[in-house]
Amino acid sequence: MDDAELLRRLLGGDEKAFTELVVRYNATLIRIALYYVNNQASAEDVAQDTWIAVLRGVDKFEGRSSFKTWLFRILVNRARSTGVREHRSISIDPLDHDASVAANRFDEGGAWRAAPEPFTDAIDRAVANEKIIGLVHDAIARLGEPQRAVVTLRDVEGLSTMEVAELLELSVANVRVILHRGRARVRSDVETNLQGGGS
Amino acid sequence: MRLTMHPLVCQQAVELMSDYLDGSLSRRDRRRLEKHLAACAHCSTYLDQMRATIAASGAVRPDDLDPQALDELTELFRQFRGDGDGT
Ligand SMILES: [Zn+2]
């Protein structure tokens, strides 16, 4: 069932529709809140406040944006006002260049010394490969900010780069740089764990 | 360095993959990368790893919601709807 249908049912007072939305989005809300506040308990409070705001405001939701975007906007507004009190500051230096792949993987001419190993025999299998999915999500959880928030919104939740930039009040260029670094870190983490992990 | 006409080496190519997959590379960089990919199996594998990573990021994972949080929120919903302890 899609979000719009769940929302329609929620408007009719359907409790199951509400819990389904919570199951779908609460983990992401907490994760995004952690971009602004500095501990798990505060993040959980912000997520709960967000759901209260959803229940209060759902009849006024006009559907001009997707439910997801509307939900995340409420979260960010609440997290931001809490986060200001906790004084969390994020520094982004686009010029600070962390290599995507360790320099020793390349020879003096910049060519791969050894071939990287494919993660799956077909890309679409990755979507059904529980081991890869688990490794990827663990790696995302281990990212530092702001990469974690950006990768979560863009790649986990599928927002556009523009939407992520608006939500987090970053420039589109910065979102791209942060996303690039976050994805590179996740890929490299998965590669390491696939080689080390066996199974 | 990016703006020179030199062909890309692998170490530079990997830094362009994320923007390439999002369609946000300049025409010039996109051409240089595609030219490199056509001739480099290793970088093509790297690109596939990146695609697999992004695909797996968006895949539905087993839900990791704390059951207590769900109970609390369900309770909240019932209070909000005004029927105290459910139906
Ligand atoms: Zn190459």
Side-chain angles (χ1 to χ4, degrees):
Chain A
M1 200 180 301
D2 66 14
D3 289 354
E5 176 61 18
L6 287 173
L7 210 59
R8 209 182 52 74
R9 294 187 185 201
L10 175 57
L11 271 167
D14 183 344
E15 179 178 305
K16 284 219 175 65
F18 179 70
T19 55
E20 176 57 29
L21 288 168
V22 170
V23 166
R24 248 175 229 192
Y25 292 117
N26 203 53
T28 293
L29 292 183
I30 291 170
R31 193 180 279 181
I32 303 305
L34 282 167
Y35 175 78
Y36 296 95
V37 302
N38 52 27
N39 67 76
Q40 183 75 19
S42 301
E44 286 169 7
D45 288 349
V46 171
Q48 192 171 95
D49 285 353
T50 301
W51 289 114
I52 295 173
V54 166
L55 290 172
R56 290 216 172 98
V58 66
D59 53 339
K60 290 177 222 90
F61 174 64
E62 289 170 358
R64 266 181 302 197
S65 59
S66 68
F67 170 72
K68 200 187 266 199
T69 310
W70 180 67
L71 176 69
F72 294 163
R73 191 158 292 136
I74 296 172
L75 183 275
V76 163
N77 287 336
R78 289 182 177 256
R80 196 175 276 142
S81 51
T82 309
V84 166
R85 288 197 295 273
E86 294 187 359
H87 197 69
R88 166 117 184 193
S89 68
I90 303 284
S91 64
I92 299 148
D93 179 2
L95 297 176
D96 154 37
H97 47 266
D98 228 6
S100 291
V101 177
N104 64 10
R105 301 279 300 275
F106 301 101
D107 64 21
E108 311 76 52
W112 291 96
R113 284 183 196 278
E117 288 286 324
F119 288 171
T120 52
D121 41 2
I123 312 305
D124 44 332
R125 300 257 173 87
V127 185
N129 185 323
E130 278 176 33
K131 185 170 177 193
I132 303 272
I133 293 170
L135 289 175
V136 165
H137 283 98
D138 290 351
I140 293 171
R142 281 193 296 269
L143 288 173
E145 297 294 359
Q147 281 117 324
R148 187 172 51 191
V150 168
V151 170
T152 299
L153 289 170
R154 177 77 182 95
D155 289 342
V156 178
E157 296 297 343
L159 267 56
S160 70
T161 302
M162 192 84 79
E163 287 173 321
V164 177
E166 274 169 21
L167 262 179
L168 300 181
E169 293 190 321
L170 295 166
S171 70
V172 167
N174 274 348
V175 169
R176 288 194 180 126
V177 172
I178 295 162
L179 188 63
H180 162 63
R181 286 200 206 129
R183 286 169 169 173
R185 177 69 58 91
V186 172
R187 187 215 63 89
S188 127
D189 218 10
V190 171
E191 183 178 60
T192 307
N193 287 310
L194 266 181
Q195 279 161 2
S199 101
Chain B
M1 180 132 71
R2 267 188 198 187
L3 291 176
T4 59
M5 289 299 281
H6 296 272
L8 288 171
V9 297
C10 302
Q11 200 167 7
Q12 296 166 321
V14 297
E15 303 299 341
L16 300 179
M17 304 286 188
S18 172
D19 283 346
Y20 177 64
L21 290 173
D22 281 350
S24 55
L25 279 185
S26 67
R27 264 172 94 84
R28 179 198 184 93
D29 278 345
R30 192 182 70 225
R31 287 209 185 126
R32 292 171 77 215
L33 181 61
E34 284 174 347
K35 207 170 161 190
H36 181 87
L37 287 167
C40 180
H42 294 355
C43 282
S44 302
T45 299
Y46 181 94
L47 182 64
D48 283 348
Q49 288 181 333
M50 199 55 107
R51 285 197 175 107
T53 300
I54 294 169
S57 302
V60 179
R61 78 207 115 135
D63 95 75
D64 49 0
L65 184 68
D66 169 12
Q68 200 195 324
L70 184 58
D71 286 350
E72 280 175 29
L73 286 163
T74 304
E75 187 51 39
L76 201 88
F77 176 83
R78 289 176 186 166
Q79 281 170 14
F80 195 86
R81 207 174 45 179
D83 59 5
D85 54 4
T87 42

